[in-house]
Amino acid sequence: MYITGGIAAYKAAYFVRALVKDGAKVRVAMTKSATKFITPMTFKTLSRHRVYTDEALVTDDEIVPHIELADWSDTAVIIPATANVIAKMSHGLADDFVTSALLASDCPKFVVPAMNEKMLKNKATTRNIKSLRMDGIKVLDPDVGFLAEGYQGKGRLPSTSTILKWIKQENKNQISTVKDLTGKKILITAGKTLETIDPVRYITNRSTGKMGYALAQTAVERGAEVTLISGPTNLPEISNVNFISIITTAEMFEEVNKFFEQMDIVIMAAAVSDYRIEKPATQKIKKKSATLEIKLVKNVDILKSLGQKKNKQILVGFAAETQNLLENASRKMQEKNVDLLVANDVSRADIGFGSDQNEVTFLRPDHKPVLIGKSDKKRIAAKVFDCIIGF
Ligand SMILES: Cc1cc2nc3c(=O)[nH]c(=O)nc-3n(C[C@H](O)[C@H](O)[C@H](O)COP(=O)(O)O)c2cc1C
């Protein structure tokens, strides 16, 4: 547990007590600022272990204590998390014991912010929390209520039981890190494609690439050799993938074909443009007439072409539908000759394009459809690979 310098630091003592009562082994590290709010002695007594403070960085000469703590922990909880430590974590700073240990930890991290409402709603804090979440760090939303400043607002530390319940639930949702895809070569497409109208304009779609990137990340974590062919996205890079950037559907087709033969699993999660502009203008189209006609011609159907030529590959397709989900998706599965079709209803605002969550149905030839309830795209990705492994 990492305690930082907020007024709610004293409540962390109740949390440590609850964890210990729950049977957990707890070690506590505190920032210098946190020790001004509550003493290390309290946590030493509750956790029955020494408390790590900045002194440990310089006084311990036999071990490197921040690395030892990082390696020892299987879960890191930052409670309360100050705006300051959230900012440091989001930028990878490590200028004291707590932030050094956090940077060295590769276990799941749970951040429980507590601060004044204006600090919480500040654009920088909002940006930093978003960036932590994008890095896969869990951040609990603070409660609304009476703040230490004497007025109502958002920023209160949630109750011990709420925090405990949240961590347990999130841990249950944790993705398997079994290396069951070791030795597998996997090709994944992600994001959208862009089709040029003129030098400044294009047509595209609402795909953000989140699903494809979650698949690539999961495949890497489970030991696969991953090639990710992606259209433009705002997503952070994924380490240890062979990353290929494309713009148009034709480019995607060309790149996919370069790799297809050597692959074991091919997952087409990109939302490619079915049509392209027949003759893109070489100069910017001027605003002259009241109407403008642009002729579109069909792009090659990448998934169908792969379905026709697949031999050893397991081919997975995605279907984004706005109506008659199962009917349209079943037809697509047959027409494209895929081994697994992941169908989702993109007419729902709470799931699908842009959302961090999805609710999908798995369709397989000669199998009943399987609904995967609304969950994190990372969890859906894990389910896709669980399904493939079980083929
Ligand atoms: C009385 C007092 C209460 C504070 N409460 C909070 C708080 O609840 N949340 C917060 O983010 N910062 C709070 N701060 C500001 C932090 O203590 C300050 O940003 C400090 O540098 C945090 O250091 P740390 O992140 O290394 O623990 C408070 C400061 C004071 C003086």
Side-chain angles (χ1 to χ4, degrees):
M1 262 191 56
Y2 297 87
I3 318 233
T4 69
I7 192 69
Y10 74 94
K11 294 184 185 168
Y14 294 99
F15 188 72
V16 174
R17 201 173 60 176
L19 281 179
V20 171
K21 208 170 149 202
D22 223 7
K25 286 202 178 86
V26 183
R27 291 192 185 176
V28 176
M30 300 174 76
T31 61
K32 187 170 175 212
S33 170
T35 63
K36 294 186 185 145
F37 289 89
I38 180 165
T39 66
M41 178 77 85
T42 306
F43 292 104
K44 186 180 166 196
T45 311
L46 291 170
S47 68
R48 298 176 207 132
H49 197 274
R50 66 173 284 199
V51 170
Y52 299 85
T53 56
D54 286 352
E55 276 70 42
L57 280 174
V58 287
T59 52
D60 278 356
D61 47 13
E62 282 184 18
I63 50 157
V64 184
H66 66 287
I67 303 293
E68 191 219 26
L69 180 63
D71 289 345
W72 175 84
S73 322
D74 58 22
T75 305
V77 187
I78 302 94
I79 170 174
T82 55
N84 178 56
V85 96
I86 288 170
K88 286 194 204 174
M89 284 176 77
S90 81
H91 288 87
L93 296 181
D95 65 353
D96 62 4
F97 185 95
V98 163
T99 49
S100 301
L102 283 170
L103 197 63
S105 300
D106 56 8
C107 62
K109 299 186 186 87
F110 298 88
V111 174
V112 190
M115 65 193 71
N116 170 272
E117 188 179 41
K118 286 180 187 149
M119 289 173 87
L120 180 70
K121 292 193 172 162
N122 183 289
K123 280 189 183 158
T125 309
T126 308
R127 197 167 53 238
N128 292 332
I129 289 178
K130 192 171 167 200
S131 128
L132 290 185
R133 287 187 170 137
M134 280 179 78
D135 288 344
I137 296 174
K138 304 290 173 198
V139 185
L140 184 59
D141 238 0
D143 273 350
V144 176
F146 194 73
L147 300 176
E149 291 77 2
Y151 51 82
Q152 292 281 325
K154 186 168 179 176
R156 272 175 67 86
L157 194 85
S159 70
T160 294
S161 60
T162 304
I163 301 167
L164 263 178
K165 223 162 95 188
W166 171 64
I167 294 172
K168 281 183 184 165
Q169 185 56 43
E170 291 290 350
N171 266 336
K172 233 194 267 168
N173 290 344
Q174 279 300 315
I175 314 302
S176 148
T177 46
V178 185
K179 304 275 182 206
D180 52 2
L181 293 172
T182 304
K184 298 276 181 226
K185 290 188 173 158
I186 304 185
L187 174 64
I188 297 168
T189 66
K192 56 186 170 237
T193 57
L194 268 53
E195 303 294 341
T196 299
I197 298 173
D198 70 13
V200 293
R201 303 179 179 99
Y202 53 78
I203 52 170
T204 188
N205 60 63
R206 295 181 195 278
S207 169
T208 57
K210 284 181 180 171
M211 192 63 240
Y213 277 55
L215 285 158
Q217 179 75 55
T218 304
V220 169
E221 283 167 8
R222 287 167 69 159
E225 205 180 297
V226 178
T227 299
L228 174 63
I229 303 179
S230 171
T233 75
N234 290 321
L235 300 173
E237 278 175 28
I238 300 174
S239 312
N240 302 321
V241 299
N242 174 25
F243 182 80
I244 292 154
S245 161
I246 57 89
I247 303 287
T248 65
T249 301
E251 286 170 11
M252 170 99 54
F253 182 59
E254 196 185 323
E255 292 298 334
V256 164
N257 277 306
K258 279 187 201 162
F259 293 95
F260 185 72
E261 259 324 298
Q262 340 148 17
M263 294 294 145
D264 300 301
I265 301 167
V266 177
I267 306 178
M268 300 279 105
V272 297
S273 180
D274 293 334
Y275 291 88
R276 69 178 182 279
I277 286 77
E278 186 181 38
K279 286 190 192 116
T282 50
Q283 302 297 329
K284 184 179 169 194
I285 299 171
K286 290 287 179 200
K287 187 172 48 175
K288 283 190 208 137
S289 49
T291 59
L292 173 68
E293 277 184 21
I294 298 172
K295 190 168 175 193
L296 302 178
V297 289
K298 237 185 184 167
N299 268 325
V300 60
D301 186 332
I302 304 178
L303 187 59
K304 192 170 179 182
S305 78
L306 299 181
Q308 283 163 357
K309 71 174 184 178
K310 77 177 160 94
N311 39 68
K312 60 168 184 167
Q313 296 86 358
I314 292 175
L315 183 60
V316 182
F318 274 71
E321 301 290 345
T322 54
Q323 54 188 346
N324 304 333
L325 179 71
L326 288 187
E327 202 183 311
N328 287 335
S330 300
R331 192 172 335 107
K332 185 166 177 178
M333 177 182 66
Q334 281 158 16
E335 278 174 15
K336 316 272 166 142
N337 190 28
V338 294
D339 302 291
L340 170 65
L341 193 90
V342 182
N344 67 321
D345 179 352
V346 288
S347 67
R348 280 174 57 182
D350 59 331
I351 53 170
F353 286 145
S355 165
D356 288 327
Q357 296 204 309
N358 213 347
E359 181 180 289
V360 299
T361 304
F362 286 175
L363 298 170
R364 286 176 59 194
D366 307 321
H367 284 74
K368 281 192 182 146
V370 178
L371 176 74
I372 310 292
K374 187 174 162 185
S375 41
D376 236 34
K377 285 188 173 164
K378 196 86 202 298
R379 188 159 175 76
I380 303 274
K383 291 277 180 198
V384 168
F385 290 113
D386 290 348
C387 177
I388 293 171
I389 292 282
F391 271 19

